[in-house]
Amino acid sequence: MNKGYAVFCDADRTFYDAPHRMAHDDRGALYPAATAPVPEGWQRHSTGDWLALRPVAARLPAQGWKIHVSATLGNAESVLERVTEYCVPRLIAFKFVPSRYLLHTRNAKYADRGASGKFITVYPADDDQCARIAADLDALLAGEQGPYVLSDLRWNQGPVHLRYGSFTRRDCYDERGELRPALENADGVLVPDVRGPAFRMPEWIEPPAWLLPHLAARAAATVADMPYRIETALHFSNGGGVYVGTDTRTGAKVVLKEGRPHAGLAADGADAVARLEREQDALERLSGLDCTPEVLDGFELGGHRFLVMEFVEGKPLNSFFARRHPLIEADPTPERLAEYTAWALRVHGLVTDAVAAVHARGVVFNDLHLFNIMLSEDESKVVLLDFEAAAPAAENRRQTVANPAFVAPADRRGVDVDRYALACLRLALFIPLTSLLALDRTKAAHLAEITARQFPVPEDYLREAVDEICRRPDGPALVPAHPYLPVRPGDWPHSRDSLAGAIRACATPGREDRCFPGDIAQFAVSGGGQNVANGTAGILYALHASGAGRFEPGEEWLLARTKEPASGTPLGFYDGLAGIAWTLEHLGHRARALELAELALAQPWEALAPDLYGGLAGLGLALDALGAATGERALTDAALRCADLAARPHREPARAGLLHGATGGALLFLRLYERSGDPGLLDLAAGALRRDLARCVRSAGGTLQVSEGWRTMPYLGAGSVGIGMVLDDYLAHRADADFERARRDIVAAAQATFYAQPGLFRGAAGMVLYLSRTSAPGPGTDPADVRRQIDALAWHAVPHQGRLAFPGEQMMRLSMDLATGAAGCLLALAAACEEPSGSLAARLPFLPPLPAAPEPAPSGAVPEEHRPQ
């Protein structure tokens, strides 16, 4: 689970939205400094969760030493008032987080560790002024508390921190070809401005003399006096780390849990230190139980609190679940389903008994989920872990920390929180989609219905889970609709009309940042609400290509926002200008498409990564298509230049798959081959495909999937199925026995009964799209196989305003975008259900329906005169 998604859930109950859009109610009320009149001669500007104040006449350097001031929720308003009163008369530019809510989210448990703690940023005009300001603010704020800013160097022991970085928005491409904030190095070249959870100075910067004492103080910090040797880091959050270590006095293996003061805030404002104290109190009350770990020690080091606990042997329940679950297979036998059902019921009984034992000691666990349950290797015993959210049962508290798939409704308190989680566990052990209950609790009845069709589960077991989830302590229980969905995904074209209606109904053309709700990636880059993957362009394409028609308000919105694209908008196909240009040409807006293509070519695009998503392959494909459509030779030449750069050995992608691997380059070479007939381009495509296949592994069941080291991936975007799509295109032109074997095993990877998410690039919709298109022979590609995957999409679906809708990445909110949401599901269903008609065939861009195979092309090196130039 990517915990960064949680903060995007508060601003809207249905869609992911930016935290700074939180309504200014009690939680989002602005600090007085944010609503005060702008001083004369100053200007104010909002960007994301920052509010900047700058003297109109100020002339700041592009980069340098800047100052960050941290604060707690309790002292922030006072700290901000004093820093404002210091900066304004001295004409010093600064920015700040304008509300208590935004400061809380910035310092929350799963906030970005590199940005956490930064409440106010002050921009000195030069190094000398920086030293004066830092000293003045340190004196002005003496005694004030604030979290340590991990990316910075602390000035003395107060809330003032320093870091060398960019003052203005500049971007460059890093060694992986990904767009990053930039600094200018000693040679005047833009290089990445690294912003991680550790202080680092650019190698070309000589620290000023006034900084040396603070560097020395940092270097003097040590863990040498600690009687434990840290061996491995298990986990990091903004609240601190969890480590496996050794007690150097006894040699015993232990777990050390760290709490950073004033950081890692829970919903009630408790910091990591307070939660660690709660955990110690709870575990000491539970001492002697065989289902909870024992506390061994507690100490403070460098201002951080540490709790030492016994090391518990075993593995988290989710890991057993992943390797045992029969729905990862295409057609599990009744015996496998019965065996798994017996196992799940037994394990749930063990967990229920453990929770009952905790309750008997007067403690509520408050954070039960698959990752906090340790199951012994022999599967005979469970131990509950992570009691930082625990509370005395007598206090009848609400939940303050929770896994999204097990978070209790606001009406549950005390032991009812654990009972709700146990009910969720009943369903999640079979169909792990309980994160959807945050959108609609009545989904529980639908999940129970699916479970009953797939597994021989006792009826009472499921009914009791649904009753507990749907009950309301202070009113009538929620009543699930029947049928749950307004239309099933496979009921085409009714599902098309329903999905398209949901997408259109969610449009917000009055917003500047986005027209349709999608993934949180919309807020991560400039123009994120416009692009093909997560923005308006991809949705407009999916509506048109699926036969659902045009959406004029969305097109008008996109045209208006691309008249002057925002600075820093990426250049790539799925993330930026190239894809928007291609989409606008596809929709008939040629003039704007050409303007954007010219703008992209005017940028330093030759440093792009070679991939399809944001790199040279996607740019080259878009330029080639635009050049062919318009006759603009310069665009065609630029596409060939992209191919030339992508073919160079030093441009090897860091990942594998269609979107981010060498397969994207193979697709570019194939499409250029089809225009030129140059067999050397097929050789380049073959080489690229072989490099990605070398990163794949075969499972015991014979499926071929991309290996990421710690997991394997079958998906369309970054998994083997995306490679399989381009293998199909290659084999339409040239026979290759190795590729034939590989694509048969990739078809097997697309046969699982269950996928965790519905999305196009990382879920079940991608399997539908692939299976409906592939020319691979043999079992797994029959209409019945495609239909089975279409039917499985219903497991993830939820109704929205009486229409069919789908959740996005992490399954906590709905998404309408192409990469993660409804538009991608719509495109996949259209590809599988709609008869293609000319240019309106519903397929991914540059992957049209496969033609009949021509005579095999010869293999050979690319002749010099035909190489991309």
Side-chain angles (χ1 to χ4, degrees):
M1 182 187 71
N2 183 336
K3 297 181 176 67
Y5 277 75
V7 73
F8 289 85
C9 293
D10 280 355
D12 193 288
R13 291 186 59 82
T14 306
F15 305 110
Y16 293 120
D17 211 341
H20 68 267
R21 293 186 61 87
M22 186 78 179
H24 294 156
D25 54 17
D26 290 341
R27 289 197 297 168
L30 298 174
Y31 292 123
T35 58
V38 179
E40 186 176 352
W42 286 66
Q43 59 187 5
R44 180 161 59 194
H45 176 67
S46 293
T47 304
D49 59 358
W50 289 105
L51 182 62
L53 285 168
R54 178 173 177 170
V56 174
R59 295 293 178 266
L60 292 175
Q63 61 192 51
W65 288 99
K66 54 186 173 182
I67 298 168
H68 289 119
V69 178
S70 65
T72 68
L73 297 179
N75 68 5
E77 187 172 328
S78 171
V79 167
L80 176 57
E81 180 181 1
R82 280 177 278 169
V83 173
T84 301
E85 290 174 352
Y86 175 87
C87 290
V88 169
R90 293 169 176 81
L91 301 180
I92 300 169
F94 67 104
K95 67 180 182 181
F96 58 94
V97 177
S99 75
R100 177 187 174 92
Y101 169 75
L102 290 176
L103 181 60
H104 186 286
T105 60
R106 181 168 282 266
N107 292 329
K109 181 176 180 179
Y110 291 109
D112 177 8
R113 296 171 66 227
S116 179
K118 298 175 183 177
F119 174 45
I120 304 171
T121 306
V122 180
Y123 295 97
D126 53 41
D127 283 4
D128 291 339
Q129 188 186 44
C130 182
R132 290 195 301 273
I133 295 172
D136 289 348
L137 292 180
D138 183 59
L140 183 67
L141 303 174
E144 294 290 358
Q145 299 294 312
Y148 188 97
V149 180
L150 295 175
S151 64
D152 288 24
L153 178 67
R154 194 171 199 166
W155 185 281
N156 294 330
Q157 295 302 309
V160 177
H161 304 74
L162 292 96
R163 175 183 178 275
Y164 191 94
S166 179
F167 283 23
T168 60
R169 175 63 185 263
R170 294 182 293 177
D171 298 288
C172 70
Y173 291 94
D174 64 13
E175 70 280 358
R176 295 173 58 147
E178 297 178 358
L179 198 63
R180 299 288 184 228
L183 284 172
E184 189 176 301
N185 67 13
D187 298 323
V189 177
L190 289 180
V191 297
D193 181 7
V194 179
R195 303 177 181 185
F199 173 71
R200 55 179 291 172
M201 256 188 325
E203 58 186 17
W204 67 89
I205 296 297
E206 185 72 25
W210 46 264
L211 204 61
L212 296 180
H214 307 286
L215 286 168
R218 179 178 182 274
T222 178
V223 295
D225 295 333
M226 185 172 67
Y228 303 97
R229 182 176 63 253
I230 292 177
E231 312 284 356
T232 308
L234 295 177
H235 170 71
F236 284 105
S237 74
N238 190 35
V242 180
Y243 313 92
V244 174
T246 300
D247 187 329
T248 55
R249 299 162 296 187
T250 65
K253 200 173 185 179
V254 297
V255 171
L256 297 94
K257 193 168 184 178
E258 174 189 21
R260 294 179 57 218
H262 315 301
L265 304 182
D268 62 352
D271 69 0
V273 173
R275 294 202 316 279
L276 210 57
E277 291 170 351
R278 291 176 184 173
E279 181 160 18
Q280 182 169 352
D281 290 344
L283 290 177
E284 287 174 348
R285 291 185 67 169
L286 299 170
S287 179
L289 295 180
D290 65 356
C291 60
T292 58
E294 293 292 331
V295 172
L296 303 176
D297 193 7
F299 62 92
E300 188 174 301
L301 181 68
H304 291 204
R305 181 72 181 165
F306 286 84
L307 180 64
V308 185
M309 296 171 285
E310 68 168 316
F311 180 85
V312 177
E313 298 286 352
K315 287 186 170 58
L317 181 54
N318 70 294
S319 65
F320 285 88
F321 168 86
R323 71 190 189 198
R324 268 186 169 274
H325 204 287
L327 298 190
I328 62 175
E329 303 169 14
D331 188 19
T333 64
E335 292 76 19
R336 279 276 291 121
L337 294 167
E339 176 191 16
Y340 179 82
T341 299
W343 177 86
L345 295 176
R346 183 175 61 79
V347 168
H348 189 273
L350 292 173
V351 177
T352 301
D353 290 345
V355 172
V358 169
H359 288 179
R361 294 282 184 96
V363 175
V364 178
F365 188 16
N366 267 333
D367 194 19
L368 180 74
H369 58 81
L370 289 166
F371 294 81
N372 279 356
I373 301 167
M374 187 72 76
L375 185 61
S376 62
E377 286 290 351
D378 66 3
E379 303 181 2
S380 65
K381 172 185 173 183
V382 298
V383 176
L384 306 180
L385 304 178
D386 199 355
F387 277 77
E388 65 179 43
E395 295 181 4
N396 207 37
R397 292 184 193 170
R398 286 179 57 181
Q399 199 170 28
T400 59
V401 174
N403 179 286
F406 292 80
V407 61
D411 58 21
R412 305 301 171 92
R413 294 175 177 271
V415 295
D416 278 354
V417 171
D418 287 349
R419 289 172 182 152
Y420 181 90
L422 283 168
C424 290
L425 184 63
R426 289 190 182 215
L427 300 179
L429 283 169
F430 293 96
I431 306 293
L433 297 176
T434 52
S435 55
L436 294 173
L437 302 181
L439 282 165
D440 178 11
R441 267 196 276 166
T442 68
K443 178 72 177 179
H446 191 221
L447 295 178
E449 181 184 320
I450 295 165
T451 300
R453 287 201 303 267
Q454 299 294 321
F455 297 91
V457 184
E459 182 180 342
D460 289 350
Y461 174 93
L462 297 173
R463 186 181 64 252
E464 290 168 4
V466 174
D467 289 347
E468 175 62 36
I469 290 167
C470 290
R471 77 177 178 89
R472 290 189 289 196
D474 300 324
L478 299 168
V479 179
H482 189 77
Y484 177 72
L485 297 176
V487 58
R488 294 186 62 81
D491 186 9
W492 194 266
H494 302 296
S495 56
R496 177 195 65 198
D497 298 339
S498 189
L499 273 170
I503 291 170
R504 292 188 176 97
C506 295
T508 54
R511 283 181 61 157
E512 285 293 321
D513 56 345
R514 73 177 191 198
C515 184
F516 297 95
D519 190 68
I520 68 172
Q522 291 184 326
F523 308 106
V525 297
S526 294
Q530 302 167 20
N531 66 31
V532 172
N534 305 116
T536 301
I539 293 171
L540 295 176
Y541 168 72
L543 287 171
H544 186 232
S546 67
R550 304 275 287 270
F551 185 60
E552 298 295 338
E555 293 182 33
E556 292 169 5
W557 185 93
L558 189 59
L559 288 168
R561 300 309 177 283
T562 55
K563 188 173 183 180
E564 294 182 8
S567 174
T569 300
L571 308 181
F573 185 83
Y574 280 104
D575 66 350
L577 294 177
I580 298 171
W582 180 88
T583 303
L584 289 172
E585 164 63 24
H586 179 80
L587 295 173
H589 303 289
R590 177 165 294 178
R592 178 58 50 79
L594 290 174
E595 290 172 10
L596 294 179
E598 290 172 6
L599 180 61
L601 290 178
Q603 307 300 312
W605 57 271
E606 295 187 344
L608 288 171
D611 64 51
L612 175 63
Y613 189 88
L616 291 164
L619 178 62
L621 285 161
L623 294 174
D624 177 61
L626 286 168
T630 64
E632 294 283 343
R633 180 65 195 178
L635 298 178
T636 302
D637 290 344
L640 292 171
R641 175 66 175 156
C642 287
D644 178 53
L645 292 169
R648 296 184 181 183
H650 68 279
R651 302 297 297 172
E652 185 65 18
R655 299 164 62 183
L658 176 65
L659 296 183
H660 303 287
T663 297
L667 182 60
L668 172 61
F669 302 142
L670 282 169
R671 297 289 88 98
L672 292 177
Y673 162 75
E674 289 166 354
R675 294 204 190 282
S676 69
D678 174 7
L681 288 163
L682 278 182
D683 295 338
L684 290 174
L689 288 166
R690 291 187 202 285
R691 291 194 296 276
D692 266 5
L693 288 173
R695 299 187 183 196
C696 294
V697 295
R698 280 182 173 82
S699 70
T703 69
L704 189 66
Q705 301 188 35
V706 169
S707 173
E708 293 187 343
W710 61 286
R711 65 179 179 182
T712 59
M713 297 288 281
Y715 298 117
L716 179 61
S720 56
V721 159
I723 302 171
M725 290 192 79
V726 182
L727 284 174
D728 286 337
D729 287 62
Y730 180 91
L731 290 167
H733 298 294
R734 178 188 287 169
D736 187 294
D738 291 338
F739 287 175
E740 282 287 359
R741 282 192 296 272
R743 74 167 175 169
R744 283 198 297 270
D745 293 342
I746 289 171
V747 166
Q751 300 301 308
T753 306
F754 172 79
Y755 293 100
Q757 300 188 134
L760 185 64
F761 289 159
R762 283 170 49 88
M767 304 305 174
V768 172
L769 184 72
Y770 166 65
L771 291 175
S772 68
R773 178 184 188 269
T774 184
S775 58
T781 61
D782 294 335
D785 298 301
V786 179
R787 172 60 60 177
R788 182 166 55 83
Q789 294 293 2
I790 291 173
D791 290 343
L793 269 176
W795 298 8
H796 306 83
V798 294
H800 177 63
Q801 298 180 357
R803 302 180 178 95
L804 187 65
F806 286 95
E809 193 83 3
Q810 305 301 307
M811 309 285 287
M812 292 185 280
R813 292 293 186 267
L814 299 183
S815 169
M816 298 295 148
D817 70 27
L818 182 73
T820 72
C825 294
L826 174 64
L827 188 71
L829 290 170
C833 302
E834 187 80 27
E835 287 296 324
S837 56
S839 62
L840 290 183
R843 296 292 188 267
L844 274 184
F846 317 117
L847 285 161
L850 291 165
E855 289 297 316
S859 175
V862 183
E864 183 72 32
E865 64 270 24
H866 293 305
R867 288 178 184 168
Q869 297 295 321

